[in-house]
Amino acid sequence: MKQAGVGVAITGCGAAAPDAILTNDQLSAIVETSDEWIHSRTGMRERHILAPGQGLSELGTQAAAQALAMADVAPESVDLILLATSTPDDLFGSAGKIQSELGATRAVAFDLTAACSGFVFGMVTAAQFIRTGLYQTVVVIGADALSRWVDWTDRTTCVLFGDGAGAVVMQADEERDRLRGVELCSDGRLNHTLNLGFGGKTTPLTPDFSIDLGGYQPITMNGREIYRFAVAKVPDVISKALFRAELDATAIDWLILHQANQRIIDAVAQRMKMSSDRVISNIHEYGNTSAASIPLALDGAVRSGKIQTGQVVAIAGFGAGLSWGAAIFEWGR
Ligand code: ACO
């Protein structure tokens, strides 16, 4: 299906993770769990965690700078910076800080929130600005630090998440459209199954006037329900993106799913009849880094030489909202 407007190319990627690593064995000293339980249920062995005082925007800046270097684009040439995150350093948004730290002086910058689907939603949003001709060069960053927002006494959630950032450069391409097909979905009826909700404390300002003041509740998740949802919906959304791309699953060289659980990745790949050697996974090293997980995995696969220029990559994110989405693109140009 021909997309209207200017073509889009994904020309660079980058990634960053904090130095500090928390292993499954270390987690066993914090909550009642074990390396065996975590690894067999999720595929995770360790995750990277932000150091006290370290900003998520530092990681986002590093990832974006690497992506710009790979694309051979100067920061001053960037038109738009989109930061997909649910855990900004600043609730007013952290994209502006990244813009300034990168030296992307011409760029407009804003945050976008769609939890673990945020990077896919960010790429699709960026593509609209390019297709209409408004912008030529966009940096999309996925970055999250869920370590800040889990209840570290709740073993059902705290073992799952890690911190990180990944980024891509997306550019106008007059010759060929390399972003072949996309599909985005939401179902707010399931919103209650995964939340990082506002939980302000009711505070009187005067005897007859009260407000709810500051504070978010730690993450709550119905793991089994999200698992079922992901295994059912992700193959479907990839099929729809493939339909728009006028491709079938055999055209996919590499599948990169949101890294939430190795069992979900395996089940989706199996439903799509994709052999495991075409599926990218880094979950053992990073855990679930939410909006960062897809670009972190993409960057690892590009830099290790797995993903080559012109190959077809299918990405799919899913998570809170609930939200899910997929994009099919040819890497590089
Ligand atoms: N260590 C040891 N035991 C544990 C742990 C732990 N860390 N966590 C849970 N258990 C126990 C439970 O208490 C339960 O015990 P019980 O049977 O005595 O009640 C048992 O293990 C099984 O629990 P389940 O929840 O059924 O375990 P499951 O196999 O479903 O795995 C998991 C849980 C890993 C969370 C899985 O359901 C999952 O991955 N769900 C999807 C999560 C996801 O994809 N999130 C994506 C989006 S994240 C975002 O958008 C921010």
Side-chain angles (χ1 to χ4, degrees):
M1 191 174 291
K2 173 106 178 60
Q3 308 258 11
V6 179
V8 177
I10 296 100
T11 55
C13 60
D19 292 335
I21 288 173
L22 188 65
T23 64
N24 289 350
D25 285 334
Q26 285 170 295
L27 275 167
S28 314
I30 301 169
V31 287
E32 197 182 329
T33 190
S34 63
D35 176 55
E36 200 284 323
W37 193 96
I38 299 169
H39 188 253
S40 63
R41 299 286 179 133
T42 70
M44 298 169 192
R45 289 277 189 211
E46 56 190 38
R47 63 285 299 140
H48 295 246
I49 303 288
L50 276 182
Q54 191 176 17
L56 186 68
S57 42
E58 273 175 50
L59 297 183
T61 305
Q62 280 172 34
Q66 282 180 18
L68 287 169
M70 184 186 285
D72 199 18
V73 169
E76 306 79 42
S77 306
V78 176
D79 299 305
L80 168 66
I81 297 170
L82 257 174
L83 171 64
T85 187
S86 309
T87 54
D89 295 331
D90 180 340
L91 268 187
F92 288 147
S94 290
K97 182 136 189 249
I98 293 176
Q99 182 239 20
S100 122
E101 285 173 0
L102 270 181
T105 44
R106 281 182 49 247
V108 61
F110 64 91
D111 290 20
L112 174 154
T113 302
C116 300
S117 311
F119 181 74
V120 177
F121 280 45
M123 272 187 70
V124 174
T125 305
Q128 309 316 306
F129 286 102
I130 294 172
R131 292 201 190 291
T132 57
L134 185 63
Y135 297 136
Q136 277 73 51
T137 304
V138 183
V139 176
V140 180
I141 304 162
D144 265 309
L146 287 173
S147 68
R148 289 170 169 172
W149 295 108
V150 287
D151 174 353
W152 286 95
T153 66
D154 174 9
R155 68 177 182 173
T156 69
T157 52
C158 76
V159 303
L160 302 174
F161 298 103
D163 304 336
V168 292
V169 176
M170 295 173 62
Q171 292 183 273
D173 191 323
E174 302 289 345
E175 282 165 25
R176 185 171 165 76
D177 188 13
R178 291 155 205 275
L179 181 59
R180 302 282 301 269
V182 301
E183 181 75 14
L184 303 180
C185 305
S186 298
D187 187 350
R189 290 171 302 178
L190 294 173
N191 179 263
H192 60 280
T193 58
L194 182 46
N195 301 101
L196 201 176
F198 178 71
K201 192 166 175 288
T202 302
T203 308
L205 293 183
T206 69
D208 55 1
F209 198 100
S210 294
I211 54 157
D212 283 341
L213 192 61
Y216 281 78
Q217 303 280 342
I219 293 170
T220 55
M221 178 172 76
N222 182 332
R224 284 182 205 182
E225 195 149 343
I226 306 282
Y227 190 101
R228 275 195 297 274
F229 144 80
V231 173
K233 298 292 188 185
V234 172
D236 182 57
V237 81
I238 296 172
S239 298
K240 286 181 173 143
L242 280 168
F243 176 77
R244 288 178 192 261
E246 294 179 337
L247 295 172
D248 63 39
T250 59
I252 299 173
D253 293 303
W254 297 103
L255 178 66
I256 308 180
L257 302 184
H258 169 47
Q259 309 282 298
N261 188 318
Q262 187 62 44
R263 291 189 293 143
I264 294 176
I265 296 172
D266 294 343
V268 170
Q270 201 181 7
R271 284 191 184 203
M272 295 182 61
K273 299 188 171 50
M274 289 200 61
S275 63
S276 57
D277 56 354
R278 287 156 65 207
V279 179
I280 307 289
S281 172
N282 63 8
I283 197 164
H284 56 290
E285 278 183 76
Y286 293 102
N288 176 349
T289 56
S290 195
S293 87
I294 293 172
L296 256 171
L298 174 72
D299 184 70
V302 167
R303 285 179 198 273
S304 68
K306 275 188 178 173
I307 297 180
Q308 301 279 330
T309 302
Q311 286 190 318
V312 175
V313 181
I315 61 172
F318 57 89
L322 295 184
S323 59
W324 63 109
I328 315 289
F329 59 86
E330 289 163 33
W331 167 252
R333 73 168 159 194

